[in-house]
Amino acid sequence: MSHAVLALAAAVFCACGCVWFLPAMADVRARDDRPLSRRIAAAGCLTGWGTVALLTPLLLAPVSWSVIAAVVTTGAATTGALAARSRVHRARELRETEEHWAVWGYGAPVRPAPSPRRAFLVRLLPGLVAATAVATAILWQGQANRGRTAAAALAAAGVVTAFLVIAIVDAARRQVPDRHQR
């Protein structure tokens, strides 16, 4: 596939992502009107979509695949780090809110339980991304042949299986009622 086709795909994909990055821009611009966790999550969203937008000129320029892979890896790692930091800040904000409600004499607000499907997907999707990355790395090591293709398929299947087991165990653990709660 030519670089121009991939650049066009990245540009179209980025244009379709405006439903995520335009509200994220508004959150970042709102500054102190938004909670810190939301602004960090918005910065992560903008970093991810900015990485996709940066792929368009990189794919049109005469750069090697290793440079493109480095940009994608850096963007994905930064986006993931910002998402994790946002989750930590969100948990801290929720604890502070519960403490304030307790000080005021009201019961703590009830946190909605996460959907079992969402929790399952949160455990499984990183495995699918990692499996794709592992298979791609194996296939790009040299000339394609049956052995390399089989190795890539087995490695990807192993990664997906590991994350699937983690997701299933976590889902089963969530369904077991805690005997200590009354």
Side-chain angles (χ1 to χ4, degrees), residues 64 151 169:
S64 68
V169 167

Side-chain angles (χ1 to χ4, degrees), residues 15-180:
C16 293
C18 70
V19 297
W20 287 286
F21 67 74
L22 289 178
M25 269 195 248
D27 284 343
V28 169
R29 289 183 52 124
R31 295 193 179 154
D32 291 336
D33 289 343
R34 301 286 193 279
L36 181 60
S37 63
R38 189 165 168 178
R39 288 179 291 168
I40 293 172
C45 177
L46 291 174
T47 302
W49 285 107
T51 302
V52 173
L54 183 60
L55 284 178
T56 302
L58 281 178
L59 288 168
L60 293 175
V63 296
S64 68
W65 283 107
S66 60
V67 172
I68 293 172
V71 168
V72 169
T73 303
T74 304
T78 305
T79 300
L82 287 170
R85 186 171 175 212
S86 171
R87 299 284 301 228
V88 168
H89 278 281
R90 178 70 178 143
R92 184 178 305 140
E93 290 166 358
L94 287 173
R95 282 192 306 273
E96 288 176 4
T97 301
E98 289 172 353
E99 289 172 5
H100 290 156
W101 278 90
V103 167
W104 292 333
Y106 298 105
V110 178
R111 290 187 195 183
S115 163
R117 289 180 184 151
R118 179 182 170 99
F120 184 82
L121 285 176
V122 164
R123 301 288 185 265
L124 182 61
L125 287 179
L128 296 174
V129 172
T132 303
V134 166
T136 303
I138 291 172
L139 291 173
W140 277 4
Q141 293 293 324
Q143 291 293 334
N145 58 31
R146 287 185 182 183
R148 187 175 309 283
T149 304
L154 287 174
V159 170
V160 169
T161 301
F163 277 86
L164 185 61
V165 167
I166 291 169
I168 290 170
V169 167
D170 184 59
R173 185 180 54 88
R174 290 177 186 267
Q175 290 179 354
V176 174
D178 190 8
R179 293 182 183 170
H180 301 290

